Amino acid sequence: MRLRPVVGVALGGGGLRSAAHIGVLKVLEKEGIKIDLLAGTSGGSIVGALYAAGLSLEQIEYIYRTLPKQLPTPAVNTFSFLLALLERIGFLPKRPSLRQISLPRGLLKNDPIRQLMTKETKGYSFDQLKLPLAVLATDLCSGREVVFAPEKARHYLDDGQRIFLSNEQVSVAVAASSSIPGIFVPVNVAGHCLVDGALKANVPVHLLKDWGAQVIIAVDLGFTVEEARIGNILHVLLQANDIMGQTISDLHLKASSALVIRPQVGPMRLTEFERIPEVIAQGVAAAAQSLTTIKSAIKR
């Protein structure tokens, strides 16, 4: 007979701000709150996968601190891309030489993310993880949710509408879930063109509900829509992604009964690695403030 409810934790996306998840998990560990199920989107899938693979939070923190060595590489020659783009949309006269330049499906390759995760998770599949994990991505061609999870979760998560995948390496799922459209090249998996799961749900609480979690703790890193400064094409793409993600995330969380933790990280550029200790501390502070509510829900 089970003496406590099934506890699920949903880790939301947020780029480098996902380091706040480390702080949240530190508090839950310290307080002896056992996690039965994990779900992650984008940056949340990175922390979730590392934790589910059995890495300690100290090890995960070290990985985040050394991320500058794992920076993604460009997928395109910037000057050639600009000329070809201007020609295709009619701002330059048609030239055969420019027509030979194929436009990329993203500005950056996600190979470093996949390679890092393959190394740190030992090439595990979802069935090999120490803790059950679901990772959310989006099929760019059909618009359907794509859920990577252990085969045992199929009964709960394969509803006929989603694409359910259980045989892929965790690193492949994380790379797909983290591929911001227009920024990163989509990931091809099992005939599907996959991008950021935040297009469907930045905080995947619905997966945990379907999976049978009775108490759901959601870590919502939010977006920085209000504070954004639009200076170049990358800012435009990221801002558009954030506006859409904020709207979808708000709808999902309002419709759920999840206990929401919101670390107050604020705006953070993808290269502000020096702020990682501060972000982790924000995760600790936010989780500590929610402890009473969480413990009360578990004891019911």
Side-chain angles (χ1 to χ4, degrees):
M1 180 179 178
R2 191 178 185 92
L3 299 178
R4 63 172 184 80
V6 177
V7 177
V9 176
L11 304 177
L16 207 55
R17 292 177 294 138
S18 60
H21 295 314
I22 300 171
V24 172
L25 293 173
K26 280 185 176 182
V27 172
L28 298 182
E29 263 196 9
K30 182 181 177 182
E31 296 296 323
I33 296 172
K34 179 175 171 52
I35 300 171
D36 299 297
L37 304 170
L38 267 177
T41 296
S42 199
S45 75
I46 295 176
V47 176
L50 294 171
Y51 193 62
L55 276 73
S56 70
L57 293 171
E58 289 72 23
Q59 289 174 308
I60 299 173
E61 181 173 347
Y62 175 78
I63 290 170
Y64 262 74
R65 287 174 181 268
T66 56
L67 276 177
K69 299 177 183 178
Q70 314 290 340
L71 286 174
T73 53
V76 61
N77 177 289
T78 306
F79 184 67
S80 297
F81 166 70
L82 180 60
L83 290 178
L85 180 61
L86 291 175
E87 189 264 354
R88 300 291 168 83
I89 61 179
F91 283 100
L92 288 178
K94 293 182 179 181
R95 300 176 185 174
S97 60
L98 292 180
R99 279 284 162 176
Q100 294 175 3
I101 301 174
S102 60
L103 294 177
R105 298 196 296 170
L107 299 178
L108 300 173
K109 298 178 181 178
N110 50 37
D111 294 347
I113 297 174
R114 187 185 306 196
Q115 290 164 2
L116 171 67
M117 294 303 296
T118 299
K119 174 187 173 185
E120 299 298 343
T121 63
K122 302 178 182 178
Y124 282 168
S125 69
F126 281 81
D127 288 323
Q128 294 174 300
L129 293 173
K130 315 294 184 188
L131 188 63
L133 170 73
V135 169
L136 182 66
T138 306
D139 183 353
L140 192 59
C141 296
S142 69
R144 295 166 67 191
E145 284 189 353
V146 179
V147 179
F148 296 86
E151 182 59 32
K152 289 181 179 179
R154 182 182 293 275
H155 173 72
Y156 303 95
L157 300 179
D158 188 357
D159 63 356
Q161 300 299 316
R162 302 176 181 130
I163 297 168
F164 183 90
L165 301 172
S166 63
N167 296 324
E168 303 298 332
Q169 286 189 353
V170 174
S171 57
V172 173
V174 170
S177 182
S178 304
S179 291
I180 303 171
I183 303 295
F184 289 98
V185 176
V187 178
N188 294 315
V189 182
H192 303 287
C193 180
L194 305 186
V195 293
D196 197 343
L199 293 181
K200 303 299 289 186
N202 197 49
V203 188
V205 291
H206 64 304
L207 296 184
L208 293 174
K209 181 180 178 181
D210 291 350
W211 207 350
Q214 295 163 303
V215 174
I216 299 175
I217 302 168
V219 188
D220 179 20
L221 302 177
F223 295 87
T224 56
V225 172
E226 295 85 357
E227 298 89 352
R229 296 178 181 177
I230 309 302
N232 57 49
I233 187 174
L234 287 178
H235 293 157
V236 171
L237 291 170
L238 290 170
Q239 175 72 348
N241 187 72
D242 278 3
I243 291 171
M244 176 175 53
Q246 182 72 71
T247 303
I248 296 170
S249 180
D250 288 346
L251 290 172
H252 272 282
L253 291 175
K254 285 179 181 177
S256 77
S257 58
L259 308 173
V260 185
I261 298 174
R262 291 188 170 92
Q264 300 303 304
V265 178
M268 187 177 186
R269 294 191 298 273
L270 292 173
T271 55
E272 289 187 286
F273 301 102
E274 71 281 356
R275 289 187 56 199
I276 286 175
E278 167 203 334
V279 173
I280 294 174
Q282 289 288 352
V284 170
Q289 290 177 356
S290 302
L291 267 179
T292 301
T293 303
I294 293 171
K295 288 182 176 180
S296 176
I298 292 174
K299 288 180 181 178
R300 287 176 188 168

